Amino acid sequence: MTDHTRLHDLFREQGQSPWLDNLRRGWITGGELQKWVDDGVRGITSNPSIFQKAIEKSGDYDAEFGSSINAGASVEDAYWMLVTSDIRSALGILRPVHDESDGLDGYVSVEVAPSLARDTDGTIASARMLHETIAEPNLYVKIPGTAEGLPAIQQMISEGRSINVTLLFGLERYGEVIEAYLAGLEACEGDLSGVSSVASFFVSRVDTEVDRRLEAIGTDEALALRGRAAVANAQLAYQLFLERFQGERWSALEARGARVQRPLWASTSAKNPNYPDTLYVDTLIGPDTVNTMPEATLEAFMDHGTMDRTVDADPDHARRMIDALAEVGVDMADVTATLEREGVGAFEKSYDELLGALEGKAAELGARTERG
């Protein structure tokens, strides 16, 4: 077992929990996931794109998938059996972290079907079903932070179910998500200490979209702002978090055992090779936060990441960056609305492509059975 890494320091010294943004069966069975936990990883996030890559690019799932299909399961039901199996196994590996941290960490996230992103009632039914089927205290069900997702988030929290709110890009929507969490807690009866939530605020995709717009504008003033929007946007989200989780309303909930809904920095690998590989980690370090990273970013941070509190070092500078973007013609409200729409679409595409590939695999299995 690893004695000490920068990931341990990140949590012990700065109060930020490093999570792994990936999951595949070979890691579970081969011990890789346990090694990441030993190195200081404190949670796991997954999404439809992650499962698409894991299932399509590996033969690890073929036997279970074939058994499910031969037993009469539909392709989509068989897919969810594969996902549930992986999530259960990962939950077992992370359970000691959950217990030792008194429920702060050790979570594994599974997302409702992307097709439900605009369907409030469908999201509620799916999230409830996933929680009741898997029935582990360290499960997070991911619900997109769309307008239609907000009532579902509030309903699930009111039922005492732990939720990872995903696909957050803009400050206005983030404020609505905090309100859904608080209202859900207020509607939840009894002790609130077993209810947990994170708000997954996506980072690098903001720079990708804003940089594209800045380059289209093309002025020196615009080009000088490349690579600055995402961090400023996330740092202002942290300010909103600090503002909303204080005062009489929050104190009343805290007295009932409520936990803050931690901001979770997602999409934190540097998409632009010209940017430092730990850009979206080093600049967003602070207490009561999570940073979920793909393995390459985790490795880079363990090798040369910073260890300073940076997320709220200069909020005025972050505000000036957003103001400067507006001055050169970048509409951040339009940027974040575009990214939400594209994020939902990308997950739907991954899901549909995976189901299509599994349909083909099921047909192949059928053909083999007939020949046999």
Side-chain angles (χ1 to χ4, degrees):
M1 176 175 173
T2 305
D3 290 329
H4 192 81
T5 74
R6 266 194 177 90
L7 299 182
H8 295 113
D9 290 340
L10 186 62
F11 178 71
R12 292 170 185 167
E13 297 178 15
Q14 300 297 336
Q16 182 173 81
S17 297
W19 289 10
L20 170 63
D21 189 30
N22 207 350
L23 184 61
R24 61 180 68 134
R25 183 160 297 183
W27 284 2
I28 296 168
T29 57
E32 183 89 8
L33 185 54
Q34 182 62 60
K35 182 181 181 302
W36 276 118
V37 173
D38 293 343
D39 282 342
V41 161
R42 301 179 62 81
I44 305 288
T45 48
S46 68
N47 61 47
S49 296
I50 283 172
F51 277 115
Q52 179 196 19
K53 292 172 185 172
I55 294 172
E56 284 189 352
K57 295 183 178 180
S58 167
D60 293 340
Y61 299 86
D62 290 355
E64 184 182 345
F65 178 72
S67 297
S68 298
I69 293 297
N70 289 333
S74 69
V75 166
E76 189 162 16
D77 285 346
Y79 161 78
W80 280 105
M81 291 176 194
L82 298 179
V83 168
T84 300
S85 179
D86 277 5
I87 294 294
R88 284 186 190 281
S89 297
L91 285 165
I93 293 171
L94 270 294
R95 183 61 185 269
V97 177
H98 185 262
D99 293 345
E100 290 161 10
S101 67
D102 192 28
L104 177 70
D105 281 313
Y107 290 93
V108 181
S109 297
V110 62
E111 189 156 349
V112 298
S115 57
L116 299 173
R118 306 295 181 190
D119 179 353
T120 300
D121 291 341
T123 296
I124 289 171
S126 178
R128 190 181 285 141
M129 181 272 294
L130 284 167
H131 264 297
E132 290 175 354
T133 299
I134 297 174
E136 294 294 343
N138 54 329
L139 175 71
Y140 270 146
V141 173
K142 290 176 84 172
I143 295 178
T146 56
E148 297 84 354
L150 295 171
I153 294 159
Q154 183 172 328
Q155 180 62 34
M156 289 299 96
I157 296 298
S158 76
E159 295 178 15
R161 305 183 193 279
S162 295
I163 297 297
N164 177 341
V165 183
T166 189
L167 284 176
L168 297 176
F169 298 95
L171 296 175
E172 183 176 354
R173 176 75 82 228
Y174 177 42
E176 294 170 342
V177 165
I178 294 173
E179 173 58 33
Y181 179 61
L182 294 175
L185 288 174
E186 288 167 339
C188 185
E189 297 180 358
D191 177 27
L192 299 176
S193 61
V195 186
S196 180
S197 183
V198 290
S200 295
F201 207 85
F202 282 52
V203 186
S204 68
R205 295 189 199 182
V206 173
D207 269 346
T208 301
E209 177 63 18
V210 170
D211 286 2
R212 185 187 66 76
R213 297 185 185 208
L214 291 170
E215 286 163 5
I217 294 167
T219 63
D220 289 345
E221 293 83 1
L223 296 177
L225 295 172
R226 287 177 295 183
R228 300 191 179 191
V231 169
N233 193 49
Q235 288 178 344
L236 292 182
Y238 189 73
Q239 290 301 303
L240 186 56
F241 161 74
L242 293 177
E243 291 166 13
R244 296 291 294 276
F245 287 95
Q246 62 173 340
E248 290 183 13
R249 185 185 187 189
W250 174 245
S251 295
L253 290 168
E254 196 173 32
R256 295 174 55 203
R259 302 170 185 267
V260 296
Q261 182 187 51
R262 291 186 294 172
L264 181 151
W265 312 126
S267 182
T268 54
S269 61
K271 307 296 189 290
N272 187 328
N274 295 318
Y275 296 162
D277 54 3
T278 58
L279 171 64
Y280 303 116
V281 188
D282 293 344
T283 52
L284 297 173
I285 295 173
D288 294 317
T289 60
V290 177
N291 196 314
T292 189
M293 302 168 248
E295 55 272 27
T297 307
L298 281 167
E299 288 167 354
F301 184 81
M302 284 196 291
D303 180 65
H304 53 266
T306 190
M307 201 54 64
D308 297 322
R309 177 168 173 168
T310 51
V311 70
D312 56 352
D314 195 349
D316 288 340
H317 180 264
R319 292 186 188 95
R320 289 195 298 272
M321 285 298 102
I322 299 300
D323 289 345
L325 289 164
E327 287 170 9
V328 300
V330 174
D331 181 347
M332 285 298 290
D334 184 67
V335 166
T336 56
T338 298
L339 288 169
E340 179 186 297
R341 186 171 60 251
E342 290 179 350
V344 170
F347 282 164
E348 284 182 328
K349 184 171 182 285
S350 292
Y351 188 68
D352 291 344
E353 287 176 353
L354 175 57
L355 291 182
L358 291 176
E359 291 278 5
K361 191 170 284 191
E364 183 183 334
L365 287 168
R368 286 178 184 167
T369 302
E370 288 173 11
R371 285 198 299 269

